[in-house]
Amino acid sequence: MRVLITGAAGFLGSHLCDRFVADGHDVIGMDNLITGELGNIAHLEGRKEFTYVRHDVSTFIAVDGPLDAVLHFASPASPVDYLKFPIQTLKVGALGTHNALGLAMAKGARFFLASTSEVYGDPEVHPQPETYWGHVNPVGPRGVYDEAKRFGEAMTMAYHYYHGLDTRIVRIFNTYGPRMRAQDGRVVSNFIVQALRGEPLTVYGDGSQSRSFCYVDDLIEGIVRLFERGDADPTNVGNPREFTVLELAKLVLEKSGAKSEIVFEPLPTDDPRQRRPDISRARSLLQWEPYVPLEEGLERTIAHFRKTVTD
Ligand code: NAD
Ligand code: UDP
């Protein structure tokens, strides 16, 4: 297969490029580096199966030659990033998705959208099944990301039903692992970097809000299975084991051996109180489930950051 992966220089996009290359496919990785880093794909440089193209996918996307698949992963994903780039986030979720769908149509390619658990907003149903419509504040600070992703899902379903395009939508729940940017502001990278630098771990609010953390290798396996044998309806992929943010902070201290203190800072506006995927659909449709427990995933991620974080 010959595939286009947008957001290729990002955390997840780069792991996805690795997986498709390892599976014997030709990959065009596209990115405008707004939140990504070329270092994430430097090891693929020079491989004949991999081509990097710098391009903003919110503008028309031109690709020469045939394509069998378009996997659209471009978008700022950390709340810190999308608050810094609100308009770009709205554009890549809306215009970028439209352009990527149009390209898939023109090439007769399968389309795969990276959506998010944020489509459920601050959920009033727990855990969240795909049938839950969500509880999103469209005009709050997170609305730029949540509503762009919701629009992207609606656009993808419209191309599926109206144009008969072969499509997939994955709703990704908090994923972590090597290649997260040290400064991207997400909780796992923040806590690890703070611990390794001997700085206080910044817990927002009282730390009783929950998340369910999925190790990147588990996520990529779920994505590949959804791509290969899934269907057009949205599918949650995440690890259903739920932790409070305070529990996560303590686990990072334990696994890193750091002696940092924990400090409490204000909770960001509209920060979801709880989040846990119902993965019944992924289990039955894809025979997928996550295998890497948080303890082990943190050890691997801490080992990665030890190599890259300097005081
Ligand atoms: P990331 O910020 O590391 O990667 C996103 C990549 O997209 C970056 O390399 C960035 O430069 C690129 N990009 C952004 N706008 C672009 C544009 N207009 N044109 C070209 N490239 C552009 O984030 P990530 O964690 O790897 O997330 C990847 C995808 O997965 C995103 O769509 C995100 O919404 C989704 N997702 C991630 C998570 C997670 O936990 N990591 C959770 C839910 C959804
Ligand atoms: N968080 C925190 N300290 C940090 C960064 C994040 O307590 O230094 C909290 C944040 O308020 C949220 C959770 O950790 O409740 C997850 O935040 P993240 O930015 O990783 O992603 P989200 O799930 O909110 O999109």
Side-chain angles (χ1 to χ4, degrees):
M1 276 195 309
R2 187 167 186 257
V3 308
L4 173 72
I5 297 178
T6 76
F11 165 46
L12 297 183
S14 64
H15 284 280
L16 204 57
C17 289
D18 283 350
R19 174 64 185 260
F20 272 81
V21 167
D23 287 352
H25 306 300
D26 288 333
V27 175
I28 302 166
M30 193 170 273
D31 206 294
N32 69 349
L33 304 181
I34 188 172
T35 59
E37 290 176 347
L38 274 185
N40 286 338
I41 45 174
H43 57 285
L44 291 171
E45 212 183 296
R47 303 253 330 227
K48 67 175 182 1
E49 306 87 351
F50 184 77
T51 311
Y52 167 68
V53 178
R54 183 164 184 169
H55 180 68
D56 178 350
V57 300
S58 297
T59 64
F60 183 82
I61 309 170
V63 173
D64 286 337
L67 278 179
D68 302 292
V70 174
L71 295 104
H72 181 41
F73 277 68
S75 170
S78 153
V80 170
D81 286 341
Y82 59 74
L83 295 182
K84 190 165 155 204
F85 302 113
I87 312 287
Q88 291 94 326
T89 301
L90 278 158
K91 284 174 78 173
V92 74
L95 308 180
T97 304
H98 189 210
N99 290 331
L101 280 161
L103 178 69
M105 269 283 292
K107 302 285 184 183
R110 178 172 294 167
F111 179 80
F112 189 106
L113 177 69
S115 186
T116 169
S117 52
E118 280 282 321
V119 300
Y120 302 122
D122 187 6
E124 291 165 313
V125 170
H126 193 71
Q128 294 81 52
E130 292 87 350
T131 47
Y132 177 48
W133 291 358
H135 180 228
V136 170
N137 175 5
V139 294
R142 300 174 83 102
V144 298
Y145 181 67
D146 303 8
E147 295 296 7
K149 290 288 182 182
R150 289 166 68 98
F151 176 90
E153 288 198 5
M155 188 63 113
T156 301
M157 291 312 278
Y159 266 70
H160 176 66
Y161 285 118
Y162 187 73
H163 288 308
L165 191 68
D166 185 15
T167 59
R168 308 279 187 274
I169 297 172
V170 63
R171 291 184 178 154
I172 301 168
F173 283 66
N174 296 66
T175 300
Y176 69 99
R179 298 189 197 153
M180 294 185 89
R181 238 168 60 243
Q183 314 303 336
D184 95 354
R186 284 183 270 198
V187 68
V188 174
S189 42
N190 266 12
F191 285 176
I192 292 177
V193 170
Q194 289 163 345
L196 295 183
R197 290 187 174 147
E199 295 167 1
L201 271 57
T202 52
V203 168
Y204 302 158
D206 62 5
S208 63
Q209 71 274 31
S210 71
R211 295 292 186 274
S212 306
F213 301 97
C214 185
Y215 189 66
V216 61
D217 292 2
D218 282 331
L219 179 87
I220 296 291
E221 179 61 29
I223 285 172
V224 169
R225 288 188 192 204
L226 179 61
F227 176 81
E228 286 174 351
R229 53 177 123 126
D231 60 24
D233 289 332
T235 305
N236 290 339
V237 176
N239 189 322
R241 206 168 140 217
E242 187 177 358
F243 291 81
T244 67
V245 166
L246 190 56
E247 285 169 340
L248 174 73
K250 289 177 179 163
L251 201 53
V252 169
L253 288 180
E254 183 192 319
K255 292 291 166 193
S256 64
K259 299 278 174 279
S260 301
E261 57 171 336
I262 292 175
V263 296
F264 294 88
E265 295 190 354
L267 193 66
T269 307
D270 294 341
D271 198 284
R273 285 290 316 151
Q274 53 183 359
R275 184 182 289 155
R276 171 154 59 104
D278 177 333
I279 59 165
S280 315
R281 183 174 147 78
R283 278 198 173 108
S284 59
L285 183 71
L286 312 172
Q287 291 75 52
W288 174 86
E289 60 187 298
Y291 286 107
V292 182
L294 183 59
E295 293 79 358
E296 188 183 330
L298 282 180
E299 283 169 13
R300 294 188 203 174
T301 311
I302 289 168
H304 160 81
F305 275 107
R306 274 195 205 285
K307 284 185 259 156
T308 53
V309 171
T310 46
D311 309 274

